[in-house]
Amino acid sequence: MNHVERRLPEFELGEDNLTEALQCLMHTIIFARWPLQSSTSNLAPREIECENFPIAYASCGESWVHQRVDEAIVEFKANLVPAGPELARGCLSLGFYERRHNKVVFWSYEEKVVWEEWVIPLLVNHTPHVAANERLSATEADRLQDSANAMYTASLQERMMEIFTMANGDLDHIPPSGTFDFEVSCQQADQREAVQDEDGRAARGGVTGRARRPQVHAQGAQNRNRHWAMRGRLLVCVPPHSE
């Protein structure tokens, strides 16, 4: 099985919008690889509208998934490193894997194999809110804040469209059936570059992960019918044939 890496271009977000933007990106990726139906439970997808961005995204509706995403965001914030004046840098890695049971002569073992990994590098702007600058008039402060919000929104929309394009690209590496799960890890940018060669060698022989939650039973073929569309200004995930 191939280990496919999906890497988003690095982009900048404001500190105030970081949590919601990461929730949007990660839930979108997870939902893109989630089954429309599960053999073990009734899946109840939810459409979530962002408060700080004119964007909506789909969530699989599982509480433990939301918890894992939120825990990863907290860890991401704790591992940011300085990247310049009022700037910090971080990198999130979201990997999907399946478990394989192997048997060698008189003993057997379980192997965890990553088949897809999404890498999200980010710059976080810690510049104080424009409205806190007493030297600016209210009109000028609003104009500057609107300009910054528009820049962050455009960047997030671009990354969402890149996720939609990559998620619906080559799907040959996705397990056609069986069980798979996901995990999220945080690495500093320099650490990420240092281990890329090692990860590449490991991918050719199977990569192990760090899962802590129950596996999710999924039919990979069911994911291939999912697509996205624009609904007004909102980017949303829509069911097949519903446009």
Side-chain angles (χ1 to χ4, degrees):
M1 179 186 299
N2 294 327
H3 175 172
V4 175
E5 182 179 283
R6 312 287 194 187
R7 174 178 288 271
L8 298 180
E10 185 179 70
F11 69 109
E12 183 178 321
L13 285 171
E15 184 177 17
D16 293 341
N17 302 327
L18 178 61
T19 296
E20 187 172 56
L22 285 176
Q23 289 172 336
C24 178
L25 293 173
M26 286 196 285
H27 281 294
T28 297
I29 294 170
I30 294 167
F31 187 77
R33 293 295 180 249
W34 209 264
L36 291 177
Q37 296 179 352
S38 173
S39 60
T40 58
S41 63
N42 294 321
L43 192 65
R46 291 194 297 138
E47 183 177 302
I48 301 174
E49 291 194 18
C50 296
E51 295 182 2
N52 299 312
F53 303 98
I55 296 174
Y57 61 92
S59 161
C60 65
E62 295 280 359
S63 60
W64 65 267
V65 172
H66 283 265
Q67 180 180 352
R68 191 184 297 187
V69 167
D70 291 343
E71 289 174 351
I73 294 173
V74 171
E75 182 182 355
F76 172 81
K77 291 180 177 180
N79 283 276
L80 291 172
V81 296
E86 304 293 347
L87 285 177
R89 175 175 280 117
C91 186
L92 270 175
S93 172
L94 194 163
F96 296 91
Y97 65 89
E98 69 170 352
R99 295 185 183 275
R100 291 180 179 176
H101 295 276
N102 301 312
K103 186 173 183 179
V104 179
V105 190
F106 299 111
W107 60 279
S108 61
Y109 64 95
E110 186 178 73
E111 180 184 20
K112 188 163 59 175
V113 181
V114 175
W115 47 266
E116 184 174 83
E117 180 182 11
W118 292 76
V119 181
I120 309 173
L122 282 171
L123 280 174
V124 181
N125 193 325
H126 294 290
T127 302
H129 200 280
V130 176
N133 192 334
E134 297 178 353
R135 293 177 296 179
L136 297 175
S137 66
T139 301
E140 182 66 9
D142 288 343
R143 185 187 68 80
L144 291 176
Q145 190 61 53
D146 289 344
S147 176
N149 291 340
M151 180 187 70
Y152 296 143
T153 296
S155 295
L156 182 58
Q157 287 177 330
E158 289 175 4
R159 298 306 172 268
M160 291 284 284
M161 292 305 300
E162 289 166 349
I163 290 173
F164 300 157
T165 300
M166 288 189 284
N168 287 282
D170 184 12
L171 303 176
D172 292 340
H173 62 287
I174 299 178
S177 61
T179 62
F180 63 82
D181 196 358
F182 77 92
E183 62 186 359
V184 186
S185 61
C186 302
Q187 291 181 322
Q188 297 176 2
D190 54 347
Q191 292 176 328
R192 177 75 199 176
E193 293 173 359
V195 300
Q196 276 184 337
D197 292 340
E198 180 181 348
D199 286 346
R201 292 192 297 269
R204 290 190 289 271
V207 177
T208 59
R210 296 168 295 279
R212 294 170 295 174
R213 303 293 177 124
Q215 297 170 319
V216 178
H217 296 268
Q219 293 295 329
Q222 293 172 328
N223 297 316
R224 307 183 186 208
N225 296 323
R226 190 177 292 109
H227 60 290
W228 291 264
M230 296 294 296
R231 183 178 300 167
R233 293 190 304 160
L234 301 182
L235 287 168
V236 298
C237 176
V238 296
H241 313 302
S242 66
E243 290 186 285

